[in-house]
Amino acid sequence: MGLRVLAWGLGAPSTALLYGSLALFISILHNVFLLYYVETFVSIYKIDKVSFWVGETVFLIWNSLNDPLFGWLSDRSFLGSPRSGDPISLPVVVLKRLRALSVSGPLLALSFLAFWVAWAPPGLQFVVCLCLYDGFLTAVDLNHNALLADLAVSAGDRTQLNFYCSLFSALGSLSVFMSYSFWDKEDMASFRLFCVVLSGVAALGFSLVSRLLQQRFQKQARLQDEAAALKELCVGQTPLAQDKTVTLGEYLKQLSKHRNFMWFVTMNLVQVFHCHFNSNFFPLFLEHLLSDRITAATGSFLLGISYIAPHLNNLYFLTLCRRCGVYRVIRWLFLLKLGLGVLMLLAGPDQIYLLCIFIASNRVFTEGTCKLLNLVITDLVDEDFVLHRRQQAASALLFGMVALVTKPGQTFAPLIGTWLLCVYTGYDIFQKDALQDVVPPPALPYPALASTLRQGCFYLLVLVPITCALLQLLAWSQFTLHGKRLHSIKSLRQGSQPHWPQDVKAI
């Protein structure tokens, strides 16, 4: 009753607004986690190097496997064709995902708190905290992304849903700026209190929003169940296709023959690599390319804008997507990445203002592209649904399979980047004063070493985007789920789905 009163007092926010607000609660926690968890364990809890790398290895394995595992557990019942007398309605699917969010969201907020208080030996706490947090984060992300494919089918409606996600993610990024006021390695009390407030807001938000959304779809689910029962009573229910359940092996075989899926994950693997390469090496590029040429305030501004600008920029990209289509916008972004990289390579490392713009724009546009790819995955969900005549769209499972194939890019980014830098300059990023440990040729003075390192960073900065853009343009040119084919797929899926009433859809 209290939730109904609150919803009435807020003027009954739209479904798109409520869906987008879930991104706020994910963002306020995850941005702070990414920024501080390594420094907390290394500088405050004094975790040893072996325990740290063992923990990261366990985390990488768990992080790669939990997406398809949770997706399979969530959606395996949807893979077969509808059984006689036992259909699964779309409102029931949406309610299932909202119930999962109402549980996993507060648990994510609770697991977030476990990082900031020492309660076990550092090595053990590191592994347990990372695996718990990432498990609940995966459950939240999969169900939230799956709702993007389940709540809407048309490109315009999905773009509107994604618009609100980007808007609320940008607001959530403000938690990073606020955290600077509380972070103090010598006295963590204020920062811990700040994290408790963030966790409380997120837990309450997940519970409230998921409950409000559940109330909207429960009535629709009851109406469809009554209509299905009446139809079965009057004319009977005819099975649409086979009565068997699809096994995991059969599903993987189907995916391997899904041509657009294979080309998409190839392109996305390169995109994930490039996004994490930018994140990993952004501070290094600032230090060795710009630190002696710009003020500390300018460096801080570039670092801060790289967090919030991708979300704001995505609002414009989504407007373009509504007018021109997602496929064309992503292709333009790849061409822009290639063009900026070639321009910067020709200009050289001494054009400081152009270098500042390139470093910032490279990260902003790359992150912006990543945020558009969920729309493409939802189109792949539609195609998979139509091609294999699913009982319901296995959206969470497909998002999980995309993550399984593309997450290795997170690991390749620092490994390949540090290897290339070391091969070219002899610089070892893992040593505290690596520049002092470079073994130079006898006649090479110390300033020349710094110049070599700067030149190496510059070529790494420009050649990686150029290479990634060329590979992505090649893969993206083979992707055919756009234009007439996409329109046909969406028409077929819309024809098999119930029509949402306007007060439920509310987009």
Side-chain angles (χ1 to χ4, degrees), residues 208-336:
L208 176 63
V209 172
S210 58
R211 187 67 178 277
L212 287 172
L213 285 170
Q214 283 181 63
Q215 289 177 355
R216 297 192 175 198
F217 288 94
Q218 281 168 348
K219 181 180 178 181
Q220 179 69 7
R222 285 195 299 269
L223 291 174
Q224 288 202 6
D225 288 343
E226 290 170 3
L230 183 61
K231 180 179 179 181
E232 183 178 359
L233 188 63
C234 295
V235 298
Q237 185 81 4
T238 303
L240 298 180
Q242 78 269 19
D243 196 23
K244 68 173 185 175
T245 302
V246 176
T247 65
L248 180 59
E250 290 170 335
Y251 177 72
L252 292 176
K253 187 176 180 180
Q254 291 172 350
L255 272 190
S256 67
K257 295 179 179 179
H258 191 169
R259 182 177 179 275
N260 282 321
F261 173 83
M262 299 304 293
W263 282 114
F264 173 79
V265 294
T266 301
M267 178 276 293
N268 198 21
L269 175 63
V270 179
Q271 185 66 25
V272 170
F273 167 84
H274 192 198
C275 283
H276 284 81
F277 174 84
N278 284 339
S279 298
N280 295 150
F281 290 93
F282 192 86
L284 185 74
F285 293 147
L286 286 182
E287 178 183 355
H288 293 292
L289 291 173
L290 296 174
S291 62
D292 57 340
R293 312 291 180 94
I294 61 174
T295 64
T298 305
S300 299
F301 173 77
L302 288 175
L303 188 61
I305 204 70
S306 70
Y307 274 91
I308 194 169
H311 301 292
L312 298 177
N313 207 35
N314 201 39
L315 302 179
Y316 174 67
F317 291 157
L318 289 169
T319 303
L320 284 180
C321 287
R322 279 197 286 268
R323 294 209 308 259
C324 308
V326 180
Y327 176 85
R328 294 175 68 184
V329 172
I330 291 176
R331 186 170 181 272
W332 291 341
L333 287 171
F334 291 157
L335 290 171
L336 180 62

Side-chain angles (χ1 to χ4, degrees), residues 399-419:
F399 272 97
M401 296 308 297
V402 169
L404 173 66
V405 180
T406 58
K407 275 192 174 179
Q410 299 180 12
T411 306
F412 294 152
L415 292 179
I416 293 176
T418 53
W419 175 75

Side-chain angles (χ1 to χ4, degrees), residues 146-165:
L147 283 173
L148 181 62
D150 294 334
L151 289 175
V153 176
S154 73
D157 289 346
R158 284 177 177 170
T159 302
Q160 185 78 345
L161 288 169
N162 212 353
F163 177 89
Y164 280 104
C165 285

